[in-house]
Amino acid sequence: MIVREHIFNIMRKSAKLFGFMPIDYPSLESMDLFRTKSGEELLSQTYSFIDRGKREITMIPEATPSTVRLLGAKKNIPKPVKWYCIPKLWRYEEPQSGRTREHSQFNADIFGDASPVADAEIIGLACETLNGLGLKGSYEVRINHRQIMEKILDSLGTKNITEGLNIIDRFRKESREKMIENLSGNLSSTDNAERLMDFISGKVQASKADERIREFFPNIPFEQFSENMNETISALEAWDYNDIVYDPATVRGLTYYTGIVFEGFDKEGKYRSIFGGGRYDKLSSIITGQELAAVGFGMGDAVLENLLREKNLWKAEAARNRYIIITIAEEAQKFSLKLAGNLRARGIEAATSNTHKNLSNSLRSATANWYTHAIIIGKKEMESGKVTVRNLSTGEQKETDTSGIN
Amino acid sequence: MIVREHIFNIMRKSAKLFGFMPIDYPSLESMDLFRTKSGEELLSQTYSFIDRGKREITMIPEATPSTVRLLGAKKNIPKPVKWYCIPKLWRYEEPQSGRTREHSQFNADIFGDASPVADAEIIGLACETLNGLGLKGSYEVRINHRQIMEKILDSLGTKNITEGLNIIDRFRKESREKMIENLSGNLSSTDNAERLMDFISGKVQASKADERIREFFPNIPFEQFSENMNETISALEAWDYNDIVYDPATVRGLTYYTGIVFEGFDKEGKYRSIFGGGRYDKLSSIITGQELAAVGFGMGDAVLENLLREKNLWKAEAARNRYIIITIAEEAQKFSLKLAGNLRARGIEAATSNTHKNLSNSLRSATANWYTHAIIIGKKEMESGKVTVRNLSTGEQKETDTSGIN
């Protein structure tokens, strides 16, 4: 939990920096809320049950429906609003690395702002969070635009856009042969399938998106969407978030996205996506009956925790000074208690060791419990007012006035 | 959530100050874990169900069983350990003020330390948290010792100690007549019932506990327990936590307490208890088969939130500077974006307003969304590099260099 608490702190701090306000919603929602949005299939992978009041309820498997429902219940808040939340979510699935049955997810959304800068503030917040965790340079954000992909699929004679997007979504999981086979079934020819496959196989620097699309599909009028995407990209550049690539294979499986879509990955490609999201201007009307521009992301804690552990990026957080006061002479007990109160009043983390085991046992227990320093108090220390501070990782000891502890 | 986030922050900060480490556990546990400890009655007030793997599970209604189970699973951690957690808990009950079906609860426990100073560190942490929230002077901690009460009940001829404690536990909910009637049924005479009733009707300053007990029960050998309690009290005094009273009516309903018990209340008596806990050295052996000294408390967020709202103690937290940048000339957009990035890089909370509504609409929306200042950017500002900062609560405006914003 030291790692996770550190992650949550940086999430909250970054959200505030971008002007997002905290919200929360219940862990239990009516099953209908998810039926509306995602259908029965999602519900078959949830912890759902009938409660004592005979309601069909589910432990929330995702955050967005609750957020939108909440917004519908608070119709009068002047828009735009920027909200964040770090709820626990539950899915009944086989647990895998980076995907557990229970996890916490950082969610941030902007409602009532259709501008590309809102898209940039959402992606920027995700980047700021990763940067704050020390991951700058280790991740890339892959972005794309749903409507560009729909235009392309259209021009290639798709039989069903949703199905086409779902096939593209499996790009990194299927062989080229399998992809071509699936795309051929969706598009009007195998030639088209191959062209699309070649197109989605190449990521480029985000500012080169137009070039790349025009190279493959010179006759498609995609500019109104790419202009929008380019504005988002330049805002991100202005804020110094630079690891953004245009990736036509990023389409996001869920059907409700209507504009920009994006996912964050570690550059080495070892892990699942770190975060993902996009613009979803239609979802609100399904849930609340009122259309409302919306863009947001979700960022789970499990992949981040793995990344931070691998890169040892949490140790600094754990290594802040934590003192334990070990009293080796019964008569010094009062002195030790006073010292503990004193240090805490100065904002210094200090605990007392009270079990009167021998010193070496106390030191071993202190080290195992993440204390960084032991303050050892005997009769001599009590009388002189100078205490012995032992660094628990190096074993080094020094004498100091209590005012010298920090 | 501004209030609640503030509460959670102070809880985490206080826990760290006392050397507690964060833990977490699943929201779902086997029903057996609670059957063992609390019996079927508690389970009838939970969200319990059979999952897709045919397991009898429950959404955790309290934190301690999970904490103890976790400790049993990590047997090798050198003791003592100091753990805290702020889980969500669920109970299927009629919601009431200060008692909702879902709530968050701050839990802190020390395991493997039977000393009275450990008791003091637990109570001290509860006090430190309330002080950190600005409640110093507004609350009192009522403490008592289970074994003193058991000695007293014994000496008065109790037929069943648990039942006797449960009757005392209802002291503040029943009339004197009803109490005497119930106690008479439990004790050997109505005289004894009246004596006990008189005893539990008086709270005294914590350091006067011995005196009070001796006055009523001169022949009971309670000193070994009160010495223990007095040591706890003097540690609390040494740390300057002074609103501690000895209250013989505080016994805590749950049967598993074995030593000191305590509850925190607002002094005006308007609310339910703010926190409660005690020493429970036997619970571990029930759950893990291994006996282990333990003391801890639980502090819900609902009563605290009510208290802080009533006393307006959360406004300072919400009133930290939050800037929104409103661009009133299209050509200044780039300048505004740069400024946003710039402020954030300096750790200043800054959002951009992108909806290009008229200025007064933007200001209204900004105020409703808790921004404290608007930075208004037009052509003039872009050219001069000086910006207009408007205080959204006073309406005051001033011109400043962007470096003057903080």
Side-chain angles (χ1 to χ4, degrees):
Chain A
M1 274 304 288
I2 299 171
V3 195
R4 261 188 262 169
E5 277 279 324
H6 175 50
I7 292 172
F8 298 151
N9 281 339
I10 297 294
M11 288 170 171
R12 284 187 286 260
K13 191 177 152 196
S14 308
K16 285 179 182 169
L17 203 56
F18 276 76
F20 287 73
M21 296 296 271
I23 61 163
D24 196 24
Y25 29 78
S27 304
L28 291 169
E29 291 275 5
S30 157
M31 282 171 72
D32 283 336
L33 181 62
F34 296 92
R35 275 206 188 97
T36 314
K37 199 209 92 185
S38 314
E40 291 291 339
E41 201 206 312
L42 174 78
L43 279 172
S44 74
Q45 297 186 333
T46 56
Y47 286 92
S48 297
F49 59 102
I50 315 266
D51 80 359
R52 293 174 203 277
K54 308 274 180 243
R55 302 170 196 91
E56 282 190 312
I57 51 177
T58 190
M59 294 175 72
I60 54 174
E62 48 178 347
T64 312
S66 298
T67 309
V68 173
R69 181 184 66 69
L70 190 58
L71 194 73
K74 304 258 177 196
K75 279 201 176 65
N76 295 328
I77 298 180
K79 310 292 177 302
V81 297
K82 300 168 90 173
W83 280 354
Y84 79 92
C85 189
I86 315 177
K88 277 193 176 181
L89 303 176
W90 298 267
R91 294 202 182 205
Y92 194 95
E93 297 177 322
E94 267 332 294
Q96 300 165 38
S97 165
R99 197 161 171 96
T100 48
R101 284 186 168 166
E102 171 173 294
H103 77 295
S104 294
Q105 194 181 73
F106 177 28
N107 287 274
D109 297 273
I110 303 177
F111 296 100
D113 185 345
S115 77
V117 179
D119 297 349
E121 292 216 328
I122 281 292
I123 298 173
L125 170 54
C127 294
E128 182 65 32
T129 307
L130 300 192
N131 292 358
L133 290 167
L135 291 168
K136 189 168 181 168
S138 321
Y139 67 91
E140 69 177 19
V141 184
R142 300 173 185 164
I143 71 172
N144 194 5
H145 197 291
R146 264 293 182 91
Q147 283 170 284
I148 296 176
M149 295 313 287
E150 290 176 11
K151 283 266 175 233
I152 290 172
L153 283 168
D154 256 344
S155 81
L156 299 175
T158 182
K159 292 175 187 116
N160 181 316
I161 284 184
T162 305
E163 190 200 80
L165 292 170
N166 280 334
I167 296 170
I168 297 173
D169 195 39
R170 302 189 55 76
F171 170 71
R172 288 184 173 85
K173 291 173 189 155
E174 308 276 19
S175 67
R176 183 175 168 94
E177 290 67 41
K178 184 74 189 157
M179 284 294 292
I180 300 278
E181 187 192 318
N182 291 342
L183 287 173
S184 297
N186 183 266
L187 304 177
S188 61
S189 72
T190 306
D191 265 13
N192 282 350
E194 279 180 354
R195 186 140 55 110
L196 184 56
M197 187 62 193
D198 289 342
F199 174 61
I200 64 176
S201 299
K203 293 184 292 188
V204 294
Q205 208 189 309
S207 55
K208 302 273 165 65
D210 281 35
E211 217 173 286
R212 172 90 182 166
I213 305 168
R214 198 167 294 121
E215 185 194 330
F216 278 83
F217 307 103
N219 302 318
I220 296 175
F222 61 85
E223 283 78 5
Q224 76 173 108
F225 308 118
S226 73
E227 252 170 46
N228 192 295
M229 188 167 69
N230 289 336
E231 252 194 78
T232 303
I233 292 164
S234 21
L236 288 167
E237 280 170 0
W239 298 335
D240 210 22
Y241 304 118
N242 296 312
D243 287 311
I244 321 282
V245 296
Y246 173 67
D247 175 33
T250 294
V251 293
R252 309 277 298 151
L254 289 165
T255 56
Y256 62 67
Y257 291 109
T258 57
I260 209 162
V261 285
F262 54 86
E263 286 178 352
F265 281 89
D266 66 297
K267 278 188 182 163
E268 293 175 46
K270 281 198 202 171
Y271 298 96
R272 290 164 174 278
S273 72
I274 308 171
F275 63 87
R279 178 162 284 284
Y280 57 100
D281 292 345
K282 299 274 162 63
L283 185 65
S284 175
S285 71
I286 299 174
I287 292 178
T288 71
Q290 211 175 27
E291 206 159 301
L292 189 62
V295 58
F297 72 77
M299 181 188 287
D301 61 348
V303 171
L304 270 182
E305 186 180 334
N306 289 344
L307 256 170
L308 262 62
R309 283 186 189 274
E310 181 206 316
K311 297 186 185 294
N312 260 318
L313 285 169
W314 59 285
K315 285 281 167 68
E317 174 66 15
R320 63 180 197 275
N321 285 352
R322 300 181 67 238
Y323 292 91
I324 184 152
I325 300 169
I326 302 174
T327 312
I328 53 177
E330 192 79 39
E331 60 266 52
Q333 170 85 346
K334 259 221 155 80
F335 178 87
S336 298
L337 286 181
K338 281 257 177 232
L339 178 59
N342 205 295
L343 293 176
R344 288 171 193 157
R346 286 163 50 202
I348 298 167
E349 301 181 24
T352 57
S353 171
N354 316 299
T355 43
H356 301 301
K357 291 181 296 197
N358 66 50
L359 180 61
S360 75
N361 276 352
S362 295
L363 289 174
R364 192 147 41 85
S365 156
T367 308
N369 284 283
W370 301 84
Y371 293 99
T372 57
H373 297 81
I375 302 174
I376 301 160
I377 313 277
K379 222 177 133 188
K380 191 188 75 183
E381 281 79 6
M382 178 184 71
E383 279 157 6
S384 70
K386 280 192 183 281
V387 298
T388 304
V389 177
R390 183 188 176 98
N391 181 315
L392 290 174
S393 51
T394 65
E396 230 173 295
Q397 295 199 166
K398 58 169 189 176
E399 281 219 337
T400 174
D401 280 327
T402 56
S403 59
I405 298 170
N406 53 47
Chain B
M1 273 305 288
I2 300 171
V3 196
R4 259 187 263 168
E5 277 280 323
H6 176 50
I7 292 172
F8 297 150
N9 280 339
I10 298 294
M11 288 169 170
R12 284 187 287 258
K13 190 177 151 195
S14 309
K16 285 178 183 170
L17 204 56
F18 276 75
F20 286 74
M21 296 297 271
I23 60 162
D24 195 24
Y25 29 77
S27 303
L28 292 168
E29 290 274 5
S30 158
M31 284 171 71
D32 282 337
L33 181 63
F34 297 92
R35 277 207 187 95
T36 314
K37 198 208 95 184
S38 314
E40 291 290 340
E41 201 206 312
L42 173 77
L43 279 173
S44 75
Q45 297 185 336
T46 56
Y47 287 92
S48 297
F49 58 103
I50 315 266
D51 80 359
R52 292 173 203 278
K54 309 273 179 243
R55 302 169 195 91
E56 282 190 313
I57 53 177
T58 191
M59 293 175 74
I60 55 174
E62 48 177 349
T64 311
S66 298
T67 309
V68 173
R69 181 185 65 71
L70 190 59
L71 195 74
K74 306 257 176 196
K75 278 201 176 67
N76 295 327
I77 298 179
K79 310 290 178 306
V81 296
K82 300 169 91 172
W83 281 354
Y84 80 92
C85 190
I86 313 177
K88 278 194 174 178
L89 303 176
W90 297 267
R91 292 203 184 206
Y92 194 95
E93 297 177 322
E94 265 335 292
Q96 301 167 38
S97 166
R99 198 163 170 93
T100 48
R101 285 187 168 167
E102 171 173 294
H103 78 294
S104 295
Q105 194 182 72
F106 178 29
N107 287 275
D109 297 274
I110 304 177
F111 296 100
D113 184 345
S115 77
V117 180
D119 298 348
E121 292 216 327
I122 279 292
I123 298 173
L125 170 54
C127 295
E128 181 65 32
T129 306
L130 300 191
N131 293 357
L133 290 167
L135 291 168
K136 189 167 182 168
S138 321
Y139 68 91
E140 69 176 21
V141 183
R142 300 173 185 164
I143 71 172
N144 194 4
H145 196 292
R146 265 290 182 94
Q147 283 170 284
I148 296 175
M149 295 312 288
E150 291 177 11
K151 284 265 175 233
I152 290 173
L153 283 167
D154 256 344
S155 81
L156 298 175
T158 182
K159 290 173 189 117
N160 180 318
I161 284 184
T162 304
E163 190 200 79
L165 291 171
N166 280 334
I167 297 170
I168 297 173
D169 194 39
R170 302 190 54 76
F171 169 71
R172 289 185 173 86
K173 292 172 187 155
E174 307 276 20
S175 67
R176 183 177 168 93
E177 290 66 40
K178 184 72 189 158
M179 284 294 291
I180 301 278
E181 186 193 320
N182 290 342
L183 287 173
S184 296
N186 182 266
L187 305 176
S188 61
S189 73
T190 305
D191 266 14
N192 281 351
E194 279 180 353
R195 186 138 56 108
L196 183 57
M197 186 63 193
D198 290 342
F199 174 60
I200 65 176
S201 300
K203 291 183 295 188
V204 294
Q205 207 190 307
S207 56
K208 303 272 164 65
D210 281 36
E211 218 172 284
R212 173 89 183 167
I213 305 168
R214 198 167 293 119
E215 186 193 331
F216 279 82
F217 308 104
N219 301 319
I220 296 176
F222 62 87
E223 284 78 6
Q224 75 173 107
F225 308 118
S226 72
E227 252 171 45
N228 192 296
M229 188 167 69
N230 289 335
E231 253 194 78
T232 302
I233 292 163
S234 15
L236 288 167
E237 280 171 1
W239 299 333
D240 211 21
Y241 304 117
N242 295 312
D243 287 310
I244 321 283
V245 296
Y246 174 66
D247 175 34
T250 294
V251 293
R252 310 275 298 148
L254 291 164
T255 54
Y256 62 67
Y257 290 109
T258 56
I260 207 160
V261 285
F262 55 86
E263 287 179 354
F265 281 89
D266 66 298
K267 277 188 183 164
E268 293 174 48
K270 282 199 201 169
Y271 299 96
R272 292 164 173 276
S273 73
I274 308 172
F275 64 86
R279 179 162 284 284
Y280 56 101
D281 292 344
K282 298 275 161 64
L283 184 64
S284 175
S285 71
I286 299 173
I287 293 178
T288 71
Q290 210 174 28
E291 206 159 300
L292 188 63
V295 59
F297 72 78
M299 180 188 288
D301 60 349
V303 170
L304 270 182
E305 187 180 333
N306 289 344
L307 257 169
L308 261 61
R309 283 185 189 276
E310 180 206 316
K311 295 184 185 295
N312 259 320
L313 285 169
W314 59 285
K315 284 281 166 67
E317 174 66 14
R320 63 179 196 276
N321 284 352
R322 299 182 67 238
Y323 292 91
I324 184 153
I325 301 170
I326 301 175
T327 312
I328 53 176
E330 191 80 39
E331 60 266 51
Q333 169 86 347
K334 259 224 155 77
F335 177 87
S336 298
L337 287 180
K338 282 258 178 229
L339 178 60
N342 205 295
L343 293 175
R344 288 171 194 157
R346 286 162 52 202
I348 297 167
E349 301 181 24
T352 57
S353 171
N354 316 299
T355 43
H356 301 299
K357 293 183 293 197
N358 66 51
L359 181 61
S360 77
N361 275 352
S362 294
L363 290 173
R364 193 147 41 85
S365 155
T367 309
N369 283 283
W370 301 84
Y371 291 99
T372 57
H373 297 80
I375 303 174
I376 301 161
I377 313 277
K379 222 177 135 189
K380 191 188 75 183
E381 282 78 5
M382 180 183 71
E383 279 156 8
S384 70
K386 277 191 183 284
V387 298
T388 305
V389 177
R390 183 189 176 97
N391 181 315
L392 290 173
S393 54
T394 65
E396 230 174 295
Q397 296 198 165
K398 58 167 189 176
E399 281 219 338
T400 174
D401 280 326
T402 56
S403 61
I405 298 168
N406 53 46

